[in-house]
Amino acid sequence: MTTYGRTSLVLALSAAAVAATLTVAPGATASAAALPGLSWEPCGPAGLGQECATLSVPQDYAKPAGPQLSLAVSRIRSERPEARRGTLVVIPGGPGGSGVQRLSQKGPALVDVLDGTYDLVAFDPRGVGGSSTANCGLDPEDRRMVTLRSWPAADGSIDENVARSRRTAEACLRNGGERLRSFTTANQARDLDRFRQALGEEKLSAWGVSYGTYVGAVYATKYPHRTDRWVLDSSADPNPERVARGWLADMAKGAEDRFPDFATWAADPARGELRLAEHSSDVRPLILDLAARLDHEPKDSTTPGTPLTGNILRQSLQNALYSDTAFAPFAELVRSAQDPKSIPVLPAQSSAAMPDSDAALSVAVICNDVKWPRSVRAHERAVAVDRARHPLTAGMPVNMTPCSFWQPPAEKPTRITDRGPSNILMIQSLRDPSTPYASGLRMREALGARARLVTVDKGGHGMYLGNGNACGNAAVTTFLKTGERPAGDAYCG
C-alpha cells in the first residue's frame, strides 16, 4: 500500500467464543505478566502536552528472552479525567509511517473533537523513526521513490527493474539480518498488544489509516477481546494470498478512479495560470503525452544530476492524487515541464533518496508478510497488459519488486474474519488513489457483522480529519465518543 503521509495493497460471538479466538505468538502465553511502567518525558510541539517514552519488545516473540528492540512511544493525556473513558491508539500508514509524528500532527484536532474522552497514544513501529531500525546498505539511486517503485522503461522493458529488485533483495538479506526479518505486520500487532499491557489497559480503541487499517484489522483478529472502539480509515483488500502485492496492483484502478477529480480541477478557469486545459477531457492526454516526451527527452531540473523524467512525472502524479491540496504543486510542475525556458523543481517525495533505514523498512514489511511470484516472464506479460489498460500508472503496480527475490515468509498472513465483537467502523472514499473503494469493500466483506461502513463521496486518501467531509467526520467522532454507529452501512454525500 502506498505510504500515507510519508515518502508503500462475514457474526459476533459470545464472550467465551471471542476469548477462544485469541491468537498468541509462538512461545508466548495468553496471560502475559505485567510489564514495567513507562518513563515519560515531554516531547513534540510546544503546548500540546505530548510525552514520549521507550518500550522494549522481543525481536522474536518465540524467543522472549532473546534480542530486544526499542520502540518510541508517545501519549497525550486527557485533561478531563471525569470525561475519560479509555485510551485511543493512532495507527499510522505506510509501512513506514511514524506514529509519534502522526500523533503530533493530528493530536490537536483529536483533542478538540474528542474533548477528553481518551488518552491519545501512538508508537513508531519497529524499523521506523525513533524505534530500532535496520539497514540494507542500498546505493542512493536505489533509495529514491521512483526506483523503489518499479516503473518500467519508456519502451515497457522491465530488465532494469528486475536487476534493481534482485540487488536490493540481496543487499537486504546480506545486511539486514534477523532484525530486518522481524519487521512484519504480525509483529507490529504483537507490539501493539505489548504497548497495551505497558499502559495498563484492558482494552484499546484505535484509529488506523491506510496500511494502519490492515494493522488494526490484524490486531482485531488476533486480540478481539482487547478491542474497544475500532476505526479503519481508507482500507485495502486484506486477501491473505496477496496482501501488499494486491494493494500495489490496486493502485492502477485507484489512479483511474481519482484522476477525473484532478482533471476537473485543472480545467477550471479559476485556476488562472495553473489551468492546464480548456476541457477536463483534455487533461488526461496532455499528461500522458508530456510523460511520453519526458521519457525520451528528460528535462534538466534544479536538482543537479537528476532530470525530470516521465517516470518522475508519473510518480509525482500518484503523490498528488492523495489530496486536493497537492493539485496545485503538481500543476506547477506540469507548467514548468511545458515551458522551454523554465527549470522544474522536482518534488522531493518523488525524486530524493530516502534514508537507508526508511528504504529497508518500506520493502521489508511487504516482502516479509507474504510470498510474491518469481517469474520474470509472467511479470513482463502483466506489465504489458496493465500499461495498455491503465496508462496513468504505466505498468508499475504489477511490475517486479525485491519481494520476488526475498526469503520465504516466517509465518502465514493473518486471515481477517468476522469472528469477534461488532465494534468496528470503517470510513472510505469513493475515489481513493491508493486504496480504491472496491478494495475497501473487500475489507468490509471480510469483517462482516463486526463492521459498519461509512462511504464518503470525496476523492483522496485518509478521510477522518483529513480529506473527508463534515458528515464522515461526525460519524467517526460520534462513534468514538458514544459508541453509536449507523444501524447499517451509510453514505456521506
Side-chain angles (χ1 to χ4, degrees), residues 427 454 456 458 463-478 492-493:
I427 184 167
V454 175
V456 181
K458 289 277 288 184
M463 289 293 99
Y464 184 51
L465 305 180
N467 295 305
N469 60 22
C471 168
N473 288 343
V476 174
T477 299
T478 297
C492 282

Side-chain angles (χ1 to χ4, degrees), residues 294 299-302 308 331-345:
L294 290 169
K299 184 169 185 177
D300 288 341
S301 76
T302 57
L308 175 60
E332 289 176 358
L333 179 65
V334 171
R335 279 296 187 215
S336 182
Q338 292 175 318
D339 183 353
K341 299 180 180 180
S342 177
I343 302 177
V345 178

Side-chain angles (χ1 to χ4, degrees), residues 54-376:
T54 300
L55 173 68
S56 180
V57 299
Q59 178 172 287
D60 183 349
Y61 278 86
K63 302 173 183 177
Q68 303 293 298
L69 303 180
S70 296
L71 301 185
V73 303
S74 187
R75 73 177 179 184
I76 301 172
R77 287 184 290 182
S78 168
E79 295 183 350
R80 298 183 62 224
E82 73 282 2
R84 182 188 179 277
R85 69 170 308 278
T87 294
L88 174 75
V89 59
V90 175
I91 309 177
S98 164
V100 175
Q101 290 182 7
R102 186 154 180 81
L103 185 59
S104 298
Q105 294 162 356
K106 291 296 185 180
L110 287 169
V111 168
D112 181 53
V113 300
L114 297 180
D115 197 23
T117 309
Y118 298 95
D119 288 344
L120 308 174
V121 302
F123 69 94
D124 285 355
R126 52 178 71 193
V128 176
S131 296
S132 297
T133 61
N135 292 291
C136 288
L138 302 177
D139 291 337
E141 179 63 20
D142 291 343
R143 290 189 268 113
R144 298 191 301 145
M145 178 63 76
V146 76
T147 49
L148 283 169
R149 291 271 176 82
S150 292
W151 291 95
D155 63 357
S157 168
I158 68 170
D159 292 346
E160 185 177 346
N161 306 128
V162 172
R164 177 177 286 111
S165 294
R166 187 188 300 276
R167 69 172 175 263
T168 297
E170 290 174 350
C172 290
L173 175 62
R174 183 170 60 250
N175 300 315
E178 289 303 311
R179 175 177 288 190
L180 191 67
R181 290 278 289 160
S182 80
F183 296 169
T184 67
T185 301
N187 277 337
Q188 186 172 336
R190 293 174 182 125
D191 292 344
L192 176 54
D193 200 57
R194 183 95 166 185
F195 188 26
R196 175 195 62 77
Q197 295 174 56
L199 291 167
E201 296 286 353
E202 288 295 319
K203 295 183 178 183
L204 292 173
S205 292
W207 171 35
V209 181
S210 190
Y211 166 69
T213 65
Y214 181 62
V215 176
V218 169
Y219 185 90
T221 299
K222 287 181 171 290
Y223 309 99
H225 68 301
R226 298 299 187 189
T227 61
D228 188 7
R229 296 171 184 172
W230 220 246
V231 175
L232 305 183
D233 180 347
S234 304
S235 300
D237 184 358
N239 181 351
E241 302 300 321
R242 291 166 60 83
V243 195
R245 180 164 64 93
W247 307 340
L248 187 61
D250 285 346
M251 287 181 63
K253 175 169 174 40
E256 298 289 349
D257 289 347
R258 173 64 162 151
F259 187 81
D261 289 339
F262 173 72
T264 299
W265 180 95
D268 188 337
R271 304 302 160 219
E273 293 183 356
L274 293 183
R275 189 186 188 195
L276 299 183
E278 185 175 349
H279 303 290
S280 61
S281 59
D282 295 329
V283 177
R284 180 186 176 97
L286 181 153
I287 298 296
L288 292 177
D289 178 68
L290 177 60
R293 286 191 283 118
L294 290 169
D295 281 337
H296 298 287
E297 296 182 17
K299 184 169 185 177
D300 288 341
S301 76
T302 57
T303 304
T306 305
L308 175 60
T309 64
N311 282 339
I312 289 180
L313 185 76
R314 294 181 185 100
Q315 182 60 59
S316 300
L317 171 62
Q318 299 311 302
N319 296 339
L321 295 178
Y322 274 58
S323 173
D324 290 3
T325 59
F327 286 177
F330 178 71
E332 289 176 358
L333 179 65
V334 171
R335 279 296 187 215
S336 182
Q338 292 175 318
D339 183 353
K341 299 180 180 180
S342 177
I343 302 177
V345 178
L346 302 184
Q349 192 178 27
S350 299
S351 59
M354 65 179 70
D356 190 76
S357 59
D358 288 356
L361 184 279
S362 69
V363 296
V365 175
I366 65 173
C367 298
N368 287 333
D369 270 4
V370 70
K371 186 177 180 179
W372 291 55
R374 295 179 176 269
S375 169
V376 174

